[in-house]
Amino acid sequence: MLTTRFAPSPTGALHLGHAFSALWAHDVARAAGGRFLLRIEDIDGTRSRPEHVAGILADLTWLGLTWDVLSFQSQRLDAYAAALDRLRACGLLYPCFCTRADIAREIAASLAAPHGGDAAAYPGTCRRLRADARAARLGEPHAWRLDMAAAVAAGGPLAWSDDLAGPVSNDAAAHGDVVLARKDAPASYHLAATIDDAAQGVTHVIRGADLFTATHVHRLLQALLDLPTPIYCHHPLLVGADGRRLAKRDGAPSLAERRARREDGRALADALRVQITLAKSGEPPILPA
């Protein structure tokens, strides 16, 4: 059965960009007689708030959306741990003890060196540690990184399909050794979203074009963990009349603020649906007034 999802993080109020993406995913599922899932990605314990969860539910209801399943990532930590254990057993993960300052210094040094090139990805500092040095430091705070070169070799040549972009050749290597478990969270977005999409039977992942490149990492994880690959649709982002992308700094009201002003949520949803139709035809979607 065709299944889509909307997966917000409860770290702040939803805005029109969230509504645009949620409506797109909701309407695709409903038009096909499929399922629309709402997944709260709440494993960031330092920023997730219960009041934001309540606001998400209220906002989507105000827009006229309904969902078939409501789930919380914080209830699925065992699944993420099992995936990490499997990757670790395959020799594809290593602990990273670097702080952000450590990484910034090494990247800066690499860029300053002759033929340094663009070294924006993690420079592999902890990948070069000897096994005994790693073992001696495991009591320190650490993240777990994917050894990208080894993972790409294990995954082999990969591809995926996007409804708007067409066939895509996978290029996870460009991301470097990504973090799959943070020091302050049991799983990264890359790992948790990939595991959950497979577990929930999501057949079509509909999300913003700002996450297009992340899909290269997700496709590799699917191959490494023997997970199905959904069809993707990375939709264009809402822009203002001036063509600039919607941003918090522009002062656009949140959905909660619009609700508080007693705006008509369903009328707003219909206005956004007009923009979805334009986006599907290749026109840039414009923020409704």
Side-chain angles (χ1 to χ4, degrees), residues 56-76:
I56 289 167
L57 302 182
D59 287 342
L60 297 181
T61 300
W62 174 69
L63 290 168
L65 275 62
T66 59
W67 49 90
D68 300 289
V69 175
L70 171 63
S71 63
F72 295 83
Q73 285 190 331
S74 57
Q75 298 173 359
R76 291 186 39 77

Side-chain angles (χ1 to χ4, degrees), residues 4-285:
T4 67
R5 48 71 161 179
F6 176 58
S9 298
T11 56
L14 299 186
H15 54 63
L16 282 174
H18 293 114
F20 183 76
S21 195
L23 280 161
W24 195 317
H26 173 273
D27 290 358
V28 165
R30 294 294 179 243
R35 298 187 308 150
F36 173 67
L37 314 181
L38 175 57
R39 184 170 75 223
I40 306 298
E41 298 194 337
D42 60 342
I43 54 175
D44 186 339
T46 61
R47 299 174 60 218
S48 296
R49 297 286 183 272
E51 60 268 27
H52 293 318
V53 175
I56 289 167
L57 302 182
D59 287 342
L60 297 181
T61 300
W62 174 69
L63 290 168
L65 275 62
T66 59
W67 49 90
D68 300 289
V69 175
L70 171 63
S71 63
F72 295 83
Q73 285 190 331
S74 57
Q75 298 173 359
R76 291 186 39 77
L77 303 187
D78 288 349
Y80 311 142
L84 289 167
D85 285 344
R86 178 172 173 181
L87 294 170
R88 200 178 291 115
C90 293
L92 298 177
L93 297 184
Y94 63 87
C96 177
F97 308 95
C98 296
T99 65
R100 291 183 179 180
D102 293 335
I103 296 169
R105 280 194 298 270
E106 183 147 349
I107 289 176
S110 177
L111 289 172
H115 312 298
D118 181 2
Y122 177 68
T125 308
C126 289
R127 179 176 8 94
R128 298 189 290 269
L129 290 176
R130 294 199 326 248
D132 57 344
R134 289 178 182 173
R137 297 184 62 183
L138 282 177
E140 302 175 24
H142 59 278
W144 286 93
R145 288 186 180 273
L146 185 67
D147 184 333
M148 186 58 77
V152 168
L158 300 170
W160 44 281
S161 179
D162 185 277
D163 271 350
L164 299 181
V168 181
S169 295
N170 208 53
D171 184 22
H175 290 259
D177 294 356
V178 294
V179 169
L180 294 189
R182 290 166 26 200
K183 295 178 182 179
D184 59 349
S188 71
Y189 166 72
H190 292 308
L191 182 70
T194 302
I195 296 293
D196 287 346
D197 284 341
Q200 294 183 309
V202 174
T203 62
H204 291 66
V205 172
I206 296 170
R207 58 191 180 195
D210 53 332
L211 292 170
F212 186 95
T213 59
T215 305
H216 293 288
V217 177
H218 302 179
R219 179 66 188 93
L220 177 59
L221 290 173
Q222 290 157 5
L224 297 174
L225 296 168
D226 299 315
L227 302 176
T229 300
I231 293 171
Y232 291 92
C233 176
H234 291 91
H235 60 71
L237 305 179
L238 281 173
V239 297
D242 58 0
R244 292 198 311 164
R245 174 183 165 184
L246 171 65
K248 291 181 180 179
R249 65 178 176 270
D250 295 328
S254 66
L255 300 186
E257 291 169 328
R258 289 174 179 269
R259 279 195 290 114
R261 295 197 309 228
R262 299 189 179 279
E263 292 186 28
D264 187 332
R266 302 209 176 199
L268 176 60
D270 287 341
L272 286 169
R273 286 185 173 103
V274 171
Q275 299 307 315
I276 290 172
T277 299
L278 289 174
K280 289 179 178 179
S281 69
E283 297 291 328

